[in-house]
């Protein structure tokens, strides 16, 4: 498999962007038998016009997500722009699609249906899943990974969540001519591919207080061992003065130690989304 990653800070003249990307790909990366494209772009960019312009040059599938910022090899951190990644191979096949819109009640079924559809289109066993989902307050990202893992426990899964300007109102995921705030884009890859992952995180803790959650529903924490969650949080000196907690706590992650089905414990990071002063709970993303 070969690839090329391209970046531009232009987000308005998308015909020019498509031309620029096409010229660079033509000069640097001859496309092989099978290809697909992945886009990350500013929320102000018209993602459907962008895919329309790109598909004047390419007939391969394109998925993408909005992003609050971009990080590239050559340009480093950029708080606006468009990034276009193209994967191409003679000995790999890409099966690409997007689910119907999901809810807490139907997410598992919708993801399973789309997965089975994409799997059936592959000539061989799927070796890797790339997953891009919108950030939703009622469907947590780890549930999406859990559902895929239940379908195929041996399948490596990699991807991310769409973002916006910290409002959780404008983030979007798209596939060709479909854009949605409640659908999940999937890429299944078969063939000559051996995925390898490296993961590392580092946290400098400003508060080492540890509490046991005694009452929660999905991503809403109501109580810890000594009372309502927001009362306990306030007792640590953290200011709680507004129900909308997302902007205040953006970049302030909470570590949760979770016991999974096989009895092992894993650490996951969670961002606060909002408080409910009436019942003392907090919703996490």
């Amino acid at each position: 498999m070969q690839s090329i990653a391209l970046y531009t800070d232009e987000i308005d003249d998308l015909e020019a962007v498509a031309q620029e990307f096409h010229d660079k790909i033509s000069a640097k990366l001859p496309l092989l038998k099978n290809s697909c494209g992945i886009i990350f772009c500013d929320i102000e960019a018209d993602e459907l016009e962008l895919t329309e312009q790109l598909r004047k040059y390419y007939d391969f599938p394109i998925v993408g997500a909005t992003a609050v910022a971009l990080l590239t090899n050559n340009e480093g951190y950029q708080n606006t722009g468009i990034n276009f990644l193209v994967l191409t191979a003679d000995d790999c096949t890409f099966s690409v699609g997007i689910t119907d819109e999901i809810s807490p009640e139907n997410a598992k079924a919708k993801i399973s249906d789309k997965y089975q559809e994409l799997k059936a289109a592959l000539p061989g066993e799927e070796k890797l899943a790339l997953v891009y989902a919108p950030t939703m307050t009622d469907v947590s990202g780890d549930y999406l990974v859990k559902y895929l893992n239940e379908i195929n426990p041996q399948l490596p899964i990699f991807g991310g969540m769409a973002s916006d300007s910290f409002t959780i109102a404008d983030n979007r995921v798209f596939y060709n001519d479909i854009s949605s705030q409640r659908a999940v884009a999937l890429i299944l890859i078969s063939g000559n591919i051996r995925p390898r992952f490296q993961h590392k995180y580092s946290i400098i803790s400003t508060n080492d207080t540890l509490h046991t959650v005694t009452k929660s529903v999905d991503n809403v924490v109501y109580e810890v061992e000594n009372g309502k969650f927001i009362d306990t949080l306030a007792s640590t000196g953290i200011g709680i003065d507004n129900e909308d907690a997302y902007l205040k706590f953006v970049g302030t992650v909470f570590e949760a130690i979770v016991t999974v089905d096989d009895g092992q414990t894993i650490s996951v990071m969670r961002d606060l989304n909002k408080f409910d002063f009436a019942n003392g709970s907090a919703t996490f993303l």
Side-chain angles (χ1 to χ4, degrees):
M1 185 183 298
Q2 298 183 44
S3 66
I4 186 171
L6 304 171
Y7 167 81
T8 179
D9 60 4
E10 176 61 57
I11 63 172
D12 296 315
D13 188 347
L14 300 180
E15 182 177 3
V17 169
Q19 178 71 61
E20 176 187 344
F21 285 164
H22 175 257
D23 291 346
K24 290 181 177 178
I25 293 170
S26 299
K28 296 181 179 180
L29 182 69
L31 294 181
L32 303 176
K33 180 180 178 181
N34 301 309
S35 303
C36 75
I38 302 172
I39 291 172
F40 300 106
C41 64
D42 190 289
I43 62 169
E44 298 299 327
D46 185 332
E47 67 275 15
L48 295 187
E49 182 186 349
L50 175 60
T51 57
E52 180 183 357
Q53 294 294 337
L54 287 168
R55 287 173 64 79
K56 291 178 180 179
Y57 300 102
Y58 307 112
D59 60 1
F60 56 71
I62 299 171
V63 302
T66 59
V68 68
L70 303 171
L71 189 65
T72 72
N73 280 345
N74 295 327
E75 293 81 13
Y77 172 85
Q78 299 292 322
N79 62 8
T80 188
I82 298 170
N83 178 256
F84 186 37
L85 170 67
V86 175
L87 306 176
T88 189
D90 285 329
D91 51 3
C92 292
T93 302
F94 308 92
S95 186
V96 186
I98 193 167
T99 69
D100 293 333
E101 294 199 342
I102 65 172
S103 66
E105 294 75 26
N106 69 17
K108 184 175 182 178
K110 294 295 185 183
I111 291 171
S112 178
D113 289 348
K114 182 56 62 174
Y115 183 96
Q116 298 301 340
E117 175 189 325
L118 298 180
K119 177 180 178 179
L122 291 172
E125 177 188 5
E126 65 273 33
K127 301 287 187 66
L128 173 67
L130 301 179
V131 186
Y132 301 98
T135 299
M136 298 170 281
T137 59
D138 57 353
V139 183
S140 183
D142 54 343
Y143 277 91
L144 307 179
V145 176
K146 178 183 178 182
Y147 298 150
L148 287 168
N149 194 54
E150 289 175 354
I151 297 170
N152 186 344
Q154 306 305 316
L155 182 70
I157 302 168
F158 185 79
M161 310 294 288
S163 56
D164 54 29
S165 55
F166 304 115
T167 64
I168 322 182
D170 298 318
N171 73 91
R172 307 178 298 278
V173 167
F174 49 96
Y175 161 64
N176 289 348
D177 60 352
I178 300 171
S179 179
S180 175
Q181 293 184 292
R182 298 203 65 89
V184 179
L186 292 170
I187 303 174
L188 298 185
I189 306 176
S190 67
N192 183 25
I193 180 173
R194 298 177 59 197
R196 294 293 183 267
F197 295 86
Q198 289 186 330
H199 172 69
K200 182 178 181 180
Y201 71 87
S202 176
I203 298 174
I204 299 174
S205 178
T206 58
N207 191 318
D208 293 324
T209 304
L210 182 65
H211 293 284
T212 301
V213 175
T214 56
K215 182 181 179 182
S216 66
V217 177
D218 295 328
N219 58 327
V220 181
V221 177
Y222 291 90
E223 297 178 2
V224 292
E225 77 282 350
N226 57 346
K228 293 181 178 180
F229 178 76
I230 62 172
D231 292 339
T232 302
L233 191 62
S235 70
T236 65
I238 295 177
I240 300 173
D241 51 14
N242 192 304
E243 286 197 347
D244 185 1
Y246 187 55
L247 280 177
K248 179 172 183 177
F249 288 94
V250 66
T252 303
V253 294
F254 290 74
E255 181 179 11
I257 302 172
V258 181
T259 301
V260 294
D261 294 340
D262 60 3
Q264 297 186 57
T265 58
I266 60 172
S267 292
V268 297
M269 301 296 109
R270 283 286 183 268
D271 280 309
L272 265 174
N273 179 39
K274 63 181 179 180
F275 297 118
D276 188 328
F277 293 135
N279 59 28
S281 70
T283 300
F284 288 83
L285 295 176

